[in-house]
Amino acid sequence: MSYIAIHVRYLSITIILLFTLAGCSQTTFEDYLGGWEVKIESKEVFNFNITLNAMDKSKVYLQIEGQSSTTRLQLEQQSNQIYNGSYKNQLNVKVDLREDIPIVFFKIGHHLCAIEITEQKEGIWIGQWNLLITESAPFTFLMSLDINEDGSGYASIFFEEPTFHYMYADDFKLDENGFSFIDIRSRIEFKAQFQYQTIDLEMKFLEEKIRLKLKPRPVSTWQLGTSNNLAKTSYNKDNTRFKSLVMDIENDSLERTHSVVIAQKNTIIFEKYFDGFSANTLHDTRSLAKSFASASIGIAIKEGFLKDEYLPIKPFFERSYPAIDWSKGKDSVNLFHLMTMSSGIDAIDFGLNRNSYANEGTYQNQTDWTKHILEAPMVNTPGKSANYGSGSPHLLGPILANQIAEELPFYLHKKLFKPLSISNYRIQLTNQSEPYFGGGWYFTSIDLVKFGQLYLNGGNYNEKQIIPKEWVEKSMQKHVVLENTFDQNKYGFLFWHKTYQINEQQIESIEARGAGGQYLFIIPELDLVAVITSGNYTNNKGFQPERIMQDYILKEIVKLKP
């Protein structure tokens, strides 16, 4: 009698995996359900050297060199000195050679990455790019294998460290030896083989491969967004001030705080990073990026692409979406309403005792995000009430993209990022590959300070007027009250307002905010800009930066009476 054939369990999943391992009992996918981990020791994983060869405009090349492979793309000219290239379904490249420093974008999944380059010699430009936005080593890869309600298998994948920790497995396929899938954010291809009590995993991007051996680790022990294996402090600009703040961050009283940068009177007075972050690390700013959308509209109005903030939105969409019902006040929705969350469209993200038709989680699961938002019913008269939701600012993106004379990413780079000397950033894209004006853009903390300084200085940066002063003043006014927020916050053109109380003194702050604790504070009366970035996405501590501002920063800046 064969011991192997004694018992075989039936699994109701898409594909039943039965195979024999040497010296082991018959094994199925079910035996591998649960959590797995591997610690990756090298920080050079998916770190690439980039070379742009534009010596001959008729033959422009881009070379992407990894640790063990080199990918060389010949770019095709799309129009006047605009070049495109691609590699399979993983990477798309866009290059604009019309500028003194060429603009280079890499598109991976829903991310558009700006590649910072410098001139090596005439016509040759070099730079570096890290696919996973990580500068720390070691870092930990986590994977959980599970079964859907319909019986199909799937994988959930993360990096435990906070820089690029969330991934999403797509096109999950099982075979007789293992499984495969693609991460939709990075476009990394994963291929796994089952071994005895381990999983061999290959990660491939372009022709660069790394091979890992995963071991079991219960999901209950995961601590996403932490870097306990790393030194808490990476850089300190000022060793004398804010000592209690530093101590409480390092002992986790103010948990998952990744950076604090403070500028006063146009000078950085404090700069400190934690959890493996540094001055060069990009951070997911979530909805903080909405304020960049507001700036973009102001610039487009200055340049004549848009008349003013009271333009109705209907003419921008009625030709592309002829089936939209513009009755019940929808035809009177204008740019002002979109920027103040007062459109009256049922695109509300939270605070309701029902599900909004076009909340962010709903429309981002649709093929056409714009269409779903425009189809949403009217629940209020435009301008009558305001409720926070990402759907309204999202509509600003396609409006602007349709009005300007070039591709929107190039426009944003030339008119906003380059004048601020911001060259290292990522933009979240929609399903139509346009910049998503609802958020999810990645910046360094220092570059966020530059943006705040721009508004503090009335739209002027380094003696150049980037945004009209009048637009800055309008943007920072208290236009509406956000009715679905806990504090009933006043709101400007995609800027928040909050009042802090220090020793009977009220201090007004204009803020850009993002989920998880991403904050840009602009405090005109103190000539102060501060940035706090965090990783509190899932622990209900996303408002912690307000406590840091109140109890640590302002108490130090504003000298208390004896």
Side-chain angles (χ1 to χ4, degrees):
M1 178 180 178
S2 168
Y3 290 102
I4 297 177
I6 291 176
H7 182 63
V8 177
R9 285 173 292 174
Y10 174 79
L11 295 179
S12 176
I13 58 177
T14 303
I15 300 175
I16 299 176
L17 298 177
L18 298 177
F19 58 94
T20 303
L21 297 174
C24 305
S25 299
Q26 213 162 38
T27 311
T28 67
F29 179 66
E30 187 180 44
D31 294 300
Y32 291 83
L33 299 183
W36 297 83
E37 75 162 352
V38 63
K39 191 160 288 186
I40 301 174
E41 299 294 338
S42 173
K43 67 179 180 181
E44 301 301 326
V45 170
F46 295 133
N47 192 61
F48 297 95
N49 293 316
I50 310 300
T51 303
L52 174 66
N53 186 330
M55 296 178 68
D56 181 352
K57 295 296 192 301
S58 65
K59 293 182 180 180
V60 176
Y61 293 93
L62 189 80
Q63 182 171 291
I64 307 170
E65 183 182 0
Q67 297 303 301
S68 59
S69 69
T70 298
T71 301
R72 191 167 183 261
L73 302 177
Q74 181 171 350
L75 306 183
E76 296 182 1
Q77 189 165 0
Q78 173 186 330
S79 57
N80 180 29
Q81 297 198 65
I82 305 294
Y83 294 81
N84 292 339
S86 63
Y87 183 88
K88 298 181 179 178
N89 66 342
Q90 284 189 310
L91 176 70
N92 290 287
V93 178
K94 285 185 175 293
V95 176
D96 186 342
L97 293 179
R98 294 173 296 179
E99 297 290 293
D100 52 346
I101 301 175
I103 305 171
V104 180
F105 286 121
F106 283 3
K107 177 183 178 295
I108 51 166
H110 278 78
H111 279 183
L112 189 72
C113 311
I115 308 300
E116 187 174 9
I117 57 175
T118 57
E119 191 170 25
Q120 185 183 53
K121 61 180 182 179
E122 187 174 357
I124 304 293
W125 302 80
I126 60 173
Q128 284 194 325
W129 177 59
N130 189 288
L131 172 65
L132 298 176
I133 320 179
T134 182
E135 296 179 290
S136 57
F139 55 103
T140 306
F141 176 80
L142 300 171
M143 179 173 66
S144 174
L145 299 178
D146 301 279
I147 298 176
N148 287 308
E149 291 183 0
D150 64 2
S152 59
Y154 72 97
S156 300
I157 45 176
F158 305 88
F159 285 96
E160 188 168 39
E161 285 67 31
T163 50
F164 194 93
H165 66 269
Y166 175 69
M167 308 177 87
Y168 185 86
D170 190 31
D171 195 25
F172 187 86
K173 297 176 181 177
L174 292 166
D175 60 37
E176 61 182 7
N177 295 316
F179 56 89
S180 63
F181 59 85
I182 298 173
D183 168 40
I184 65 172
R185 294 185 73 208
S186 65
R187 303 308 298 176
I188 295 174
E189 297 174 351
F190 292 81
K191 187 174 182 180
Q193 287 190 322
F194 296 124
Q195 302 294 338
Y196 178 59
Q197 297 184 343
T198 63
I199 295 176
D200 287 347
L201 183 69
E202 178 187 272
M203 299 169 62
K204 181 181 178 183
F205 184 79
L206 305 181
E207 294 302 318
E208 193 77 359
K209 300 177 183 178
I210 63 170
R211 291 179 173 84
L212 307 168
K213 186 174 288 293
L214 278 65
K215 297 181 180 180
R217 178 182 170 187
V219 174
S220 60
T221 67
W222 291 8
Q223 294 182 323
L224 298 179
T226 63
S227 296
N228 294 330
N229 56 321
L230 298 170
K232 279 287 183 184
T233 305
S234 60
Y235 179 65
N236 188 6
K237 184 82 173 180
D238 188 332
N239 287 308
T240 61
R241 303 181 75 182
F242 309 102
K243 288 184 178 179
S244 61
L245 171 60
V246 174
M247 180 178 66
D248 286 349
I249 293 174
E250 291 184 341
N251 67 23
D252 281 339
S253 297
L254 298 170
E255 63 182 275
R256 301 187 182 186
T257 299
H258 297 157
S259 72
V260 180
V261 184
I262 307 169
Q264 193 171 29
K265 297 180 181 179
N266 286 305
T267 301
I268 300 292
I269 64 171
F270 182 83
E271 181 181 5
K272 197 169 178 68
Y273 301 90
F274 310 87
D275 279 355
F277 281 80
S278 77
N280 298 318
T281 311
L282 294 176
H283 204 288
D284 183 359
T285 64
R286 302 292 177 97
S287 288
L288 186 155
K290 287 181 171 69
S291 300
F292 284 84
S294 173
S296 304
I297 296 298
I299 292 171
I301 290 173
K302 176 190 73 172
E303 297 200 324
F305 291 113
L306 299 170
K307 181 182 178 183
D308 56 34
E309 66 269 28
Y310 299 108
L311 276 175
I313 70 170
K314 180 182 177 181
F316 296 103
F317 295 111
E318 58 184 343
R319 183 171 297 178
S320 299
Y321 300 99
I324 297 299
D325 180 3
W326 293 97
S327 65
K328 300 181 180 179
K330 191 177 291 186
D331 60 346
S332 63
V333 174
N334 59 35
L335 301 183
F336 177 94
H337 299 137
L338 297 183
M339 289 186 292
T340 57
M341 308 287 187
S342 62
S343 68
I345 297 174
D346 191 14
I348 302 169
D349 284 350
F350 55 81
L352 303 177
N353 57 3
R354 60 179 177 83
N355 290 324
S356 172
Y357 181 91
N359 63 52
E360 189 174 41
T362 301
Y363 67 73
Q364 287 192 351
N365 282 319
Q366 311 298 315
T367 301
D368 189 331
W369 300 0
T370 300
K371 179 175 181 289
H372 188 81
I373 295 166
L374 292 174
E375 288 175 340
M378 297 295 293
V379 292
N380 288 302
T381 301
K384 278 289 186 179
S385 62
N387 287 276
Y388 187 90
S390 298
S392 288
H394 160 70
L395 295 178
L396 297 169
I399 288 172
L400 185 54
N402 288 332
Q403 291 302 110
I404 59 176
E406 61 183 324
E407 294 183 48
L408 184 52
F410 290 137
Y411 181 81
L412 295 174
H413 184 91
K414 296 172 186 177
K415 302 300 181 180
L416 182 57
F417 298 133
K418 184 180 178 181
L420 288 174
S421 298
I422 297 176
S423 55
N424 177 26
Y425 61 91
R426 292 191 180 195
I427 294 176
Q428 184 182 174
L429 301 176
T430 68
N431 283 349
Q432 281 66 49
S433 295
E434 291 288 354
Y436 175 49
F437 274 25
W441 298 11
Y442 287 66
F443 298 100
T444 67
S445 299
I446 285 292
D447 285 344
L448 292 176
V449 169
K450 294 176 185 177
F451 183 68
Q453 202 70 54
L454 172 69
Y455 272 79
L456 186 63
N457 295 341
N460 189 286
Y461 188 81
N462 281 346
E463 300 183 353
K464 181 177 181 180
Q465 198 69 32
I466 299 173
I467 306 173
K469 184 177 181 181
E470 297 79 9
W471 183 258
V472 170
E473 292 171 350
K474 287 181 181 179
S475 301
M476 297 168 69
Q477 289 177 12
K478 299 176 179 178
H479 293 294
V480 298
V481 174
L482 293 177
E483 297 176 7
N484 62 333
T485 60
F486 178 78
D487 290 341
Q488 297 285 285
N489 295 88
K490 300 290 198 309
Y491 202 65
F493 287 171
L494 302 175
F495 281 93
W496 299 74
H497 286 262
K498 185 175 175 65
T499 302
Y500 295 90
Q501 186 90 17
I502 301 294
N503 196 31
E504 299 182 354
Q505 180 179 351
Q506 290 190 335
I507 298 174
E508 299 289 328
S509 176
I510 300 101
E511 300 171 359
R513 300 180 182 178
Q518 326 315 323
Y519 273 69
L520 166 62
F521 302 86
I522 304 168
I523 305 180
E525 66 184 280
L526 299 177
D527 200 1
L528 184 139
V529 172
V531 167
I532 299 173
T533 60
S534 320
N536 293 307
Y537 299 109
T538 58
N539 59 3
N540 295 318
K541 294 189 177 181
F543 297 104
Q544 183 172 267
E546 295 176 30
R547 179 189 165 200
I548 294 174
M549 175 57 67
Q550 172 81 39
D551 295 343
Y552 296 85
I553 297 175
L554 289 178
K555 283 187 177 179
E556 171 66 26
I557 296 292
V558 180
K559 300 304 180 183
L560 301 181
K561 295 179 182 179

